[in-house]
Amino acid sequence: MDILNQVSAGQMRDELPKFNVGDTVSLQVKVREGGNVRNQKFQGIVIQRRGAGGGATFTVRKISQGIGVERIFPLHSPNLTSLKVIRRGCVKRAKLYYLRDLRGKAARVKEKKK
């Protein structure tokens, strides 16, 4: 197992900010379209974090034109160009799956007091 940890340590990203479930994040993701590569912005609430080490992932949910959109991103992916925390959320759960059933103002997350 020591060899696996050494190999994956070279691929880990350490410039990512600390964020938790309930935070609103804005990400830039590399998207390939034919021969072109462009950055696509995705902003939403983190509803889940899963895994540890090189296999860690997080799920971001946003509402786009009245439809809920969720994307799962590997935390240490080279396709993840930037990640910024917009708002810190104050939640009491590790997984925010209940947001899937809520609409409008009910789907808001309280902001953490400083």
Side-chain angles (χ1 to χ4, degrees):
M1 288 306 248
D2 221 12
I3 296 171
L4 289 176
N5 290 337
Q6 290 175 355
V7 170
S8 65
Q11 299 172 352
M12 303 282 268
R13 299 175 63 172
D14 51 350
E15 74 274 1
L16 295 174
K18 302 264 184 205
F19 67 96
N20 293 315
V21 173
D23 294 349
T24 302
V25 295
S26 176
L27 345 141
Q28 295 280 336
V29 183
K30 286 183 191 174
V31 177
R32 288 191 187 273
E33 293 177 339
N36 299 333
V37 177
R38 67 177 179 87
N39 284 337
Q40 183 180 41
K41 183 180 176 185
F42 194 87
Q43 181 174 335
I45 298 175
V46 178
I47 63 167
Q48 159 182 307
R49 284 193 69 161
R50 170 180 254 168
T57 61
F58 62 100
T59 304
V60 181
R61 178 180 176 83
K62 76 173 184 175
I63 304 296
S64 178
Q65 298 177 358
I67 298 172
V69 178
E70 293 182 9
R71 285 187 68 182
I72 300 171
F73 297 100
L75 188 60
H76 300 287
S77 171
N79 290 333
L80 192 62
T81 307
S82 72
L83 188 140
K84 295 178 187 169
V85 178
I86 306 296
R87 247 178 97 208
R88 299 266 179 206
C90 182
V91 294
K92 296 181 179 181
R93 302 271 180 254
K95 309 281 194 267
L96 302 182
Y97 298 141
Y98 66 89
L99 289 178
R100 294 173 176 166
D101 299 328
L102 301 178
R103 301 285 178 253
K105 287 187 175 182
R108 288 184 297 179
V109 174
K110 290 183 184 176
E111 190 166 2
K112 189 177 280 188
K113 294 182 180 178
K114 295 183 181 186

